Amino acid sequence: MAEPAADPVGLYRTVSLIRGFEQRAVALVRTGVIRGGIHPCTGQEAVAAGTCAALRPDDVITSTHRGHGHVLAKGADPARMMAELAGRTTGLNRGRGGSMHAADFGVGILGADAIVGAAVPIATGAAWAFRRAGSDRVAVAYFGDGAVSQGVVLETFNLAALWRVPVVLVCENNGFATSMRPADTMAGSVVGRAAAFGIPASTVDGMDPQAVLDATAEAVARARSGGGPSLLECATYRFDAHHTWEHTARPRYRTDEEVAEGKARDPLEIQGARIPAATRAAIDAETGARLDEAVRFALAGPHPDPATALDHLYATGMRARAGAL
Amino acid sequence: MPNLSYLKALNRAIGDEMERDAAVCVLGEDVGVAVSYATAGLLRRFGRDRVLDTPISEQAFTGFATGAAMAGMRPLVEFQIPALLFLVFEQIANQAHKFSLMTGGQTRVPVTYLLPGSGSRDSWAGQHSDHPYSLFAHVGVKTVVPATATDAYGLLVTAIRDDDPVVVFAPSGALGLREVVDFADLAPVPLGVGRVHRAGADVTVVAVGHLVHDALAVAEDLAGSISVEVFDPRSLYPFDWQGLAASLERTGRLVVVDDSNRSCGIGAEILATAAEEMRLIAPPRRITRPDGAVLPFARELDLACQPTRAQLRAAVEKTVGAG
């Protein structure tokens, strides 16, 4: 999206876009158009909308396996994103990445990453390179609550703080590492981990786009001005399954009551209440139409030629030997 | 002419590339004081901005290098011991290597991983003696094992300039070697182009890394009775299959000597490809470490797990006798 998202209307538009995208994507999983399933981020839109609204187009992000929201909020074209999920050559990654690897370097998306915590050092390295080049660009590393028990993430906290790297560490705490609650997987706390490295950290209401934007803006300003990393824990809630596959296996790790309670704090409603009803309706209509078009675009895209399966394996164009003669 | 040591060649390659390209930087543990020597003098020449002493956080700084590379840098990451590659296999094999394809060609990850002292270091025991190049060749990460000082220079320069991740294994058995060279003759060596160190007519010995020198010694021993061609692939991935095929056209017989474990090692791949696609007039043989070897501490036991000249000589004689 080229339009600014840092005002109440813009924030709502982003939340609405992500919500509508996820609903359509889940439907396309159910009908078999999207293979492999997705990790929907419904309920967590405020984190993506609020953080990305604090960024410039030339700032970068790395995302997670649940990355649709971040990728859309940073400015990826929903149509090309949907085409990517559908495995078409018209997709962001030419159908080579899919849901968990969506990337658009043109708008600063270095890629969603399917290994928990793995992209945190990548964003940090990119941020270091920017500063070294004399620019004031910053990077945001998204990760979930499960990632704060990954060694590589804690190692990276140390590096980022030690070298005062302009990275904003955004922990999207949605309450579940797949099925495990933070209380069952995490000794201490998210912000406590940051404190150990002297990284300024705060917990923010991750259902409120404006609250996330305000906190991120502060962290981004600190990073840009040479103040080093900050950690933002966004307390949010995942409305849907860890993965669309749950629809089949139906693991039980939370009650319907709890989900209902979580859904009662819907970022769509929280942000929607801040703008005129007519504006909200207009935006919903506008994003709905845009996403319907995105689905049409995705389905119209060509499937890749199997002969090109290993195109792009090497940046130098080196070709791999065939597996069978 | 100068007598260039293998280690000095590595050092010179890094320095030359840092001089040539401001995007080249070095990351690693103790690189400032150059504990391995490969980075000697670089901190003084290029400053802390480009020579970064890292905390003992291999996974973080290896992933960090990936991000820096995607943002325009060309990091060289040094690991003091090869077993650290097991820690960072995720960051190299599953992240850096996969980004080009996964992003549909949107990015490149030009990181060089340098292992100055791979393989047995003479009784450094179980966790300091691995030589895991076959793992990287298997997953498709560009993998280089230079045998001589000039190749160490030329291949490291190429690795640094390459737009993909490249792992450069400098065998500890080769670090002390010296070569009389004119510095003006030092030049990049392309990946995927092998080198025939000694021409021969009866059998091709493919030797990896420091074992090239053992193969040359065995060839010399056998001169007069068996004419041995010594083929050094120099990079294991990409591998110079054409060069090997041309050698086997001349000899028709193949022995591979490879200081990695037997099962699924590069030696197995070389034999399999030769058997499938090339001219062989006798069954090929390989000398390797044992299956699943963990190098024991005691010197006799350490040596017992590594390919020896005696084994190589016997394998060459059997192979020639069989065909």
Side-chain angles (χ1 to χ4, degrees), chain A residues 16-320:
Chain A
S16 169
L17 180 76
I18 299 170
R19 178 66 55 88
F21 184 94
E22 294 296 62
Q23 288 168 340
R24 285 165 179 78
V26 168
L28 291 176
V29 171
R30 300 277 176 261
T31 55
V33 170
I34 294 175
R35 310 286 301 176
I38 63 168
H39 300 79
C41 70
T42 40
Q44 303 180 205
E45 298 92 343
V47 182
T51 49
C52 286
L55 298 178
R56 295 194 314 230
D58 66 340
D59 293 327
V60 302
I61 65 166
T62 62
S63 181
T64 70
H65 59 285
R66 195 181 310 288
H68 299 176
H70 312 138
V71 173
L72 290 168
K74 188 64 175 71
D77 175 4
R80 292 189 57 218
M81 174 93 174
M82 197 65 90
E84 183 59 31
L85 269 54
R88 309 303 168 101
T89 60
T90 45
L92 290 174
N93 307 26
R94 299 185 168 104
R96 269 67 178 185
S99 166
M100 287 193 282
H101 303 297
D104 186 346
F105 278 65
V107 294
I109 301 159
L110 303 191
D113 202 300
I115 299 298
V116 171
V120 180
I122 293 174
T124 305
W128 171 80
F130 294 150
R131 192 193 57 189
R132 206 196 146 273
S135 107
D136 68 346
R137 298 165 74 183
V138 306
V140 166
Y142 293 102
F143 51 96
D145 44 287
V148 300
S149 297
Q150 279 281 25
V152 71
V153 172
L154 300 174
E155 288 181 16
T156 303
F157 286 3
N158 184 51
L159 265 192
L162 195 65
W163 294 346
R164 296 180 78 78
V165 178
V167 61
V168 180
L169 305 158
V170 176
C171 176
E172 197 167 34
N173 186 344
N174 68 9
F176 299 96
T178 306
S179 73
M180 300 289 283
R181 293 167 195 270
D184 298 323
T185 62
M186 191 195 306
S189 66
V190 176
V191 294
R193 282 156 166 70
F197 299 100
I199 296 175
S202 57
T203 301
V204 61
D205 180 357
M207 305 305 265
D208 181 346
Q210 188 66 49
V212 174
L213 166 58
D214 294 345
T216 310
E218 192 185 323
V220 167
R222 182 181 296 126
R224 277 202 215 293
S225 63
S230 308
L231 183 143
L232 211 57
E233 179 190 19
C234 300
T236 185
Y237 193 77
R238 160 162 64 76
F239 289 1
D240 287 328
H242 165 69
H243 184 267
T244 42
W245 187 68
E246 260 182 43
H247 184 70
T248 313
R250 295 191 185 282
R252 290 290 289 176
Y253 52 89
R254 56 185 181 177
T255 63
D256 294 342
E257 292 72 30
E258 184 192 317
V259 176
E261 207 176 295
K263 286 186 173 177
R265 294 216 2 99
D266 187 336
L268 199 65
E269 299 307 321
I270 290 171
Q271 195 59 30
R274 292 176 179 148
I275 61 174
T279 307
R280 181 178 173 178
I283 289 172
D284 287 342
E286 173 202 315
T287 55
R290 191 175 177 200
L291 288 166
D292 290 341
E293 176 50 35
V295 172
R296 273 193 293 276
F297 174 84
L299 299 184
H303 292 274
D305 176 351
T308 67
L310 289 182
D311 280 8
H312 314 297
L313 179 56
Y314 297 97
T316 46
M318 188 175 92
R319 306 299 300 185

